[in-house]
Amino acid sequence: KTLAVGSQLEIDAIDGTDIIPLSHTLAAQCGYSIESDPWGNTKVFASLLGCYADVVFTFGLRLRMYRDGLSEQVKHDVTETCSYSPWASQEILCDRNYMEGGVQYFGVELIDQALVICSVAVAPNGIWKMTFHTPDPKVMLLTDAQRAGYGAMMTQTRLVIRKVAGVPMEVVSVSTYYKLGSLIVDSAAACPTGGVVFTDKVITWHVPRRITPLISSAVKILETHMGIYGQRLDKTKMAARHYKLSVTESHVVIEIPVGSPDGYYKSHAPDYAYHITYTIEPMLELLWRAENTQADTRYKVLFPITTPLMPRPPHVIDNTVHEQSVFDILLGIFLHDVELMNITFTTRVLTVAECNARGFDVQEHHFANGSKTFSIRVPFSDELVLKRNPDPLTTVYVLPLVFGLLVLPDQTPFPHPAELEASREDVVLPTITGSCDQENFYFSVKYGSQQDNFQTVMLHAGSWRELDIELAKLYSLTDNSTHFSIVVPFTAPAAAFELVHFKSIRARVDLLLLEMLNMWQLADFSLACYFPLTTTECYANGTVTALAVKVESVSNLNPEYLTLRDQSCKPAFSNDRFAFFSFKLNSCGTTRTFFDNVMVYENEIALPYNTGQQSRKGPFTPEYRHTISCYYLLNYTKTMAFRASPRSTNPVADPGVGHLVVQIRLSQDSSYALFYHSGDYPVEKYLRQPLYFEVELMQSTDPQIEVVLENCWATLHKDRTSLPSWDLIIDGYCENPDDLYLTVFHPVVADTRIQVPAHIKRFSIKMFTFTKDDAVLKEQLFVHCDAVLCDTTKPDGICSGQCANALRYANSLRPTDASQYKKQISSGPVLLSDSNLFWKI
């Protein structure tokens, strides 16, 4: 655990009381080697003939480990004594960074060691020169050989020669000359560098049986052994690991299964693609005897093997159960040295911790063989999940993501993209409900699962129109998080008239909910209701009022051009949907028919034959026809029962005190349906444009009271007594004779708003302006009136309806104080528009 990733290891050789730091160069010179896997697991090897081993092969090492730079040091001293016997005549060792050979010749053993130069302090003057056969002979003195990277030393029984790293040789042959006498020793060493064949499952290592120049004559192989990391394995362990050692005519063959527990796997990411390698270090040990000399040779090779890069693309397994509305993803398989660092979604990158905090449940799953997988669960409802609708009821959920992975300990990143898709029929469509009362349609639109992702359109004045801000205000739209509601009067443009009866009308409103991106119709709702509406009123005095309604079946009708049978009898009022007629039963082409005790008057509202304003279906059939009928009984008798009883005193009415309110309003047009409110003033009008005024008695249903306008006049200022002023009505119903454009009075008939027509007076004037010294006074205009409340049972004076003197109120409803029966009212201001300026003279 101390040698974790990131720790620094330094090794010292212990030589008695001396501590010698082993640099890479010195370690190679003295027969030391080190093997570490990528995760810090370390093995240290030392040659028995190393520089700092004594005659009984005792070694001492000091391991110095630094966990955090050089500030924290941990020391471990290790001492090991090894025995080794018997020695063969020739000993050859091929280690990972050196090759070593020993030959016993007249009591002297020769050692060749690759990548190592040992000190020659033992017998520095025992060697004279050396001849290297590479293959041409090259003679060098000892000092020259040392400078070239070679070294040699002598012990009491052995001659040690080592070859320095960097010399590109797999085979070395050396002749050594001694200073004392004429002793010449020839030696050779060779180590394999290849012969490995890889398949997906097996590593096969071939070592030649005849190793030149080690074997120059016939030999007999006495022993063959296989090991791992320098340790021999017996046949039982080899069988358990499925290792095979065999000898053919030309090679010694070792077979190792890829993935054996003695080796290790490592992850790699070249070009951001996931690969793995497998590494193991087998050992081959041979003992053979030369038939001509009977000399034994022990040949030992430690040979690290790493397979080529093996691609292992990760797999994404979609374990999503659509009904659970959660993406369930499994990513793998990886080695233990791969970590999941982050996940890139469409709009952001989240670390594993951030994913778990968001509820994505990222987990790491480990298996007995050391591999692992990663899983993540992402709800369909998360905003990082993309959504689309292939049809109105189905939602397709798409989760594109990129896993950010990291190979340890070398910190190599690599990505793996994935995209998952799931679909569900989980869309709840919006719904429309509606109802009616006596005046309005009421609609409620409940949002579906996708809230307000739709557009509401309604059939408005004959064409489809979006429910925009203007219509939302017109129809009193209210909304909350679950629904919205609108109120549509049955007389509104959104209501289509289907059928007209004597006392009612059937109106219909059509609504559509559209998904605008794909133009899908999510809901279609049509509501038709009957509303009270009197179209014909027959009065006992022989007067008839009739209302012609433009129905849906004659959408191109213009009510303005409708007439009675007598085409000179035109509407008293009309707009784009209604035409109102008022006439006497003995006029306008009305016919009379008798049926028993019933007298029937009939007329017809239709289009005139010769107008060019309307199209006709045929020469005799009008496009629109509305028959008006009035029924009167010729003889009508009512029987009444009564009983008279004498009374002691005559009844006397108790005097009472009350307040009657009279108001004046300015209508927007001659229909007197819409009026200007206080917030609309000042109202801007053009010169000579009609101004329609209505004076109404409020809060009274007494049919015996009638409103009479005594005087009306206009001023420039709000003060009704201010000057200049201009008379509009004088002495009751009398127009101002000095006015070129006389005031026009308009009839009032009963309808759903007006219960007592006598309580209302209507008149209109032409817009004008005051002048002073021939200059137009473009100021505000105010209209004032004095209204008198009359008793209709006692018409007299101004209450008689004639142009009488306003001072004669003999029988008018007159309290003790004259100011109590006269009401003063005003309206305005009205502004004159700047265009088309004219003035009165």
Side-chain angles (χ1 to χ4, degrees), residues 212-246:
T212 304
L214 301 182
I215 299 177
S216 57
S217 61
V219 299
K220 180 180 180 180
I221 297 178
L222 304 178
E223 297 178 12
T224 58
H225 302 281
M226 177 188 174
I228 298 293
Y229 294 109
Q231 301 292 324
R232 281 186 187 177
L233 297 177
D234 57 29
K235 292 183 178 180
T236 302
K237 291 182 179 179
M238 289 178 58
R241 289 166 169 77
H242 303 286
Y243 296 150
K244 295 181 181 179
L245 175 61
S246 60

Side-chain angles (χ1 to χ4, degrees), residues 99 133-134 163 168-173 188-191 211-214:
M99 59 182 175
H133 306 279
T134 61
K163 185 177 63 158
M169 297 178 67
E170 302 167 1
V171 178
V172 62
S173 178
C191 291
I211 304 173
T212 304
L214 301 182

Side-chain angles (χ1 to χ4, degrees), residues 464-484:
W464 290 102
R465 178 176 171 184
E466 175 189 345
L467 183 61
D468 52 17
I469 296 177
E470 180 183 355
L471 290 185
K473 182 178 180 182
L474 179 63
Y475 298 135
S476 306
L477 185 144
T478 59
D479 65 337
N480 56 27
S481 60
T482 61
H483 69 281
F484 74 85

